[in-house]
Amino acid sequence: MNSSGSRVQSFSQTEINWDKLDKTKFYVVGAGLFTGVTVALYPVSVVKTRLQVASRDTVERDAFSVIRGLIKTDGIAGLYRGFGTVITGAIPARIIFLTALETTKVAAFRMIEPFKLSEPTQAAIANGVAGMTASVFSQAVFVPIDVISQKLMVQGYSGYAKYNGGWDVARKVIKSDGIRGLYRGFGLSVMTYSPSSAVWWASYGSSQRLIWNCRLLGRGYELEEAAPSELELVLVQATGGIIAGATASCVTTPLDTIKTRLQVMGHEQRHSAREVVKLLIRDDGWKGLYRGLGPRFFSMSAWGTSMILAYEYLKRLCSKDE
């Protein structure tokens, strides 16, 4: 009984629930914090996207070649193509995502509590359901931003059209395909990002619990010793972020490659998802579905670790005084 109580107490010291947060401070500070993380990691997304859409005849077939080409043509600014569009849409999308994530996680934990599952299993299920739900809700904002930013990322590359900024992309897409053109690949986005988000948050939640469980076992569940230091919190959260990013990138890269190709196609290049798969396999075999895996693996691991550290710090910063 004491062991169980200590375990619950310890986990409550490592996690801050939604009802304990100052929401206004959380949204305002969070917008600035996540903007900074996006600035740092955005170039990786540009490189990944270019690798995924490269044709068989493209000279730049690896990440370093793409980076050299972008810097040679546009300087450092080339690594931030489409950034303005992304950052404008990311703030409302992030608010939707985080709100759905936290509220769903609380509800999911309550629903599975009567089943008396192990802590890591409970965390995996609740976090996984929350991650998937949050992703589905936020795709309504993310997909149009994705379509516009990716067209800007690849403009003039491997035969793709050039544009005069984000508004020019939106205007031309709506003119040729209507509003639904901004939602090209929506189904695949949901199929890509929702499982990816579920896998990411499930891996993160369960790996954290496993690490804390091992720590508690090593200390005999002594409550006084169970309270983690700031360094321990950061190390465990960073480890969870790396594990989650690595797992999610390996599972979902093929769908992400297909989705990206569909979204950057011009009006005259209408292909179905099946045709895109056939073209990728024709050009590179089955490994074509894993184009950009290296940058995506790095991006999801680096983004996941940076994001979760920023997110957990934000929650500690915005927690209400007891």
Side-chain angles (χ1 to χ4, degrees), residues 230-252:
E230 188 79 14
L231 178 60
E232 280 183 300
L233 277 173
V234 170
L235 287 175
V236 171
Q237 289 160 359
T239 302
I242 293 169
I243 293 170
T247 305
S249 63
C250 290
V251 170
T252 60

Side-chain angles (χ1 to χ4, degrees), residues 54 56 61 279-289 291:
R56 182 165 38 178
R61 301 282 286 179
L279 287 170
L280 284 166
I281 294 173
R282 185 198 68 188
D283 287 352
D284 288 321
W286 287 101
K287 70 178 182 180
L289 294 171
R291 277 192 184 180

Side-chain angles (χ1 to χ4, degrees), residues 47 50 59-60 62-76 78-79 81 157:
V47 174
R50 288 205 157 210
V59 176
E60 298 166 352
D62 62 78
F64 292 109
S65 297
V66 171
I67 293 169
R68 280 196 300 268
L70 281 166
I71 293 175
K72 183 179 179 180
T73 306
D74 299 320
I76 295 297
L79 295 172
R81 285 188 174 184
Y157 176 72

Side-chain angles (χ1 to χ4, degrees), residues 111-304:
M111 287 178 66
I112 61 177
E113 193 175 2
F115 295 99
K116 306 297 181 185
L117 302 171
S118 67
E119 284 284 350
T121 303
Q122 281 189 32
I125 294 171
N127 280 274
V129 170
M132 179 173 283
T133 304
S135 180
V136 170
F137 276 102
S138 61
Q139 288 311 306
V141 178
F142 270 132
V143 171
I145 296 303
D146 235 7
V147 170
I148 294 169
S149 65
Q150 286 176 347
K151 283 180 176 288
L152 291 172
M153 287 178 190
V154 303
Q155 63 176 324
Y157 176 72
S158 195
Y160 288 94
K162 290 189 176 183
Y163 299 95
N164 228 347
W167 287 112
D168 186 40
V169 175
R171 183 178 59 79
K172 287 179 177 175
V173 168
I174 293 171
K175 184 178 179 181
S176 63
D177 294 328
I179 292 294
R180 71 176 186 173
L182 292 174
Y183 284 89
R184 183 180 286 179
F186 179 79
L188 270 174
S189 286
V190 172
M191 286 173 62
T192 301
Y193 290 127
S194 296
S196 177
S197 183
V199 170
W200 198 99
W201 284 99
S203 301
Y204 175 70
S206 59
S207 61
Q208 262 207 110
R209 295 298 174 109
L210 283 168
I211 294 169
W212 289 125
N213 270 336
C214 291
R215 175 183 178 275
L216 286 171
L217 283 170
R219 295 193 176 189
Y221 294 112
E222 293 180 23
L223 185 57
E224 292 77 18
E225 294 184 38
S229 67
E230 188 79 14
L231 178 60
E232 280 183 300
L233 277 173
V234 170
L235 287 175
V236 171
Q237 289 160 359
T239 302
I242 293 169
I243 293 170
T247 305
S249 63
C250 290
V251 170
T252 60
T253 290
L255 283 173
D256 186 60
T257 301
I258 298 165
K259 173 194 71 70
T260 300
R261 285 224 160 191
L262 285 172
Q263 288 179 330
V264 301
M265 285 176 182
H267 181 64
E268 68 288 347
Q269 293 177 298
R270 290 181 180 276
H271 290 302
S272 66
R274 181 179 295 182
E275 288 170 331
V276 170
V277 172
K278 285 180 179 177
L279 287 170
L280 284 166
I281 294 173
R282 185 198 68 188
D283 287 352
D284 288 321
W286 287 101
K287 70 178 182 180
L289 294 171
Y290 280 87
R291 277 192 184 180
L293 174 62
R296 181 169 166 78
F297 184 96
F298 175 79
S299 177
M300 290 195 75
S301 297
W303 167 258

